[in-house]
Every structure is written in structure tokens, then in C-alpha cells.
Amino acid sequence: DLPGVQCEACHGAGSEYKSLKIMKDHQASLAAGLIVPDEASCRSCHEKAPHEVPAFDYEKMTAGGVHEVKKGS
């Protein structure tokens, strides 16, 4: 729900892990620099957004998966 936020904002620069072969191997992805965000890293942006956003509830957001495609998207 943050306009303009791309994958690398949360997962780090993807040039080393973006290939499908590496992305299919979680350990290889991590070794190549993939960042798996935790609650603190999510809050660092969601609680400092420069515009009004709904209150951020980490448990609610992660319960359905943060990459869930919203209806109408």
C-alpha cells in the first residue's frame, strides 16, 4: 500500500539473486544477498510513511502474506 515501493526496497539489490535458478533455491538466494524482512524492517517504513496510511498491524499484514494480490489490482 505504499505507492512506488519496489521489491528491492524490502529485499535488497537483486542483481545477484534475481535469476530463476537462484530464486528457486532459498539458501542460494540468501547467500546471494536476498534480504528477508522482519517486523523491525517493515515498521521502519510503514511507521514513517510521508503520507497517511492505515495503522500498520504486522501480524495482520503477514497472516495473509505480504505479497498477496488485492482484488482489483
Side-chain angles (χ1 to χ4, degrees):
D1 289 334
L2 296 174
V5 176
Q6 301 295 318
C7 304
E8 291 182 341
C10 301
H11 296 290
S15 62
E16 298 298 320
Y17 65 80
K18 68 180 181 180
S19 76
L20 187 56
K21 180 180 177 181
I22 293 176
M23 287 302 291
K24 285 186 170 187
D25 182 336
H26 186 68
Q27 291 305 316
S29 297
L30 293 173
L34 174 69
I35 296 170
V36 178
D38 60 9
E39 183 172 359
S41 58
C42 293
R43 288 187 182 285
S44 72
C45 290
H46 281 273
E47 292 183 346
K48 296 177 184 172
H51 50 80
E52 288 191 31
V53 295
F56 181 67
D57 182 333
Y58 180 79
E59 285 75 27
K60 182 178 178 183
M61 177 61 88
T62 57
V66 297
H67 294 125
E68 182 178 282
V69 177
K70 294 183 169 89
K71 291 181 181 177
S73 294

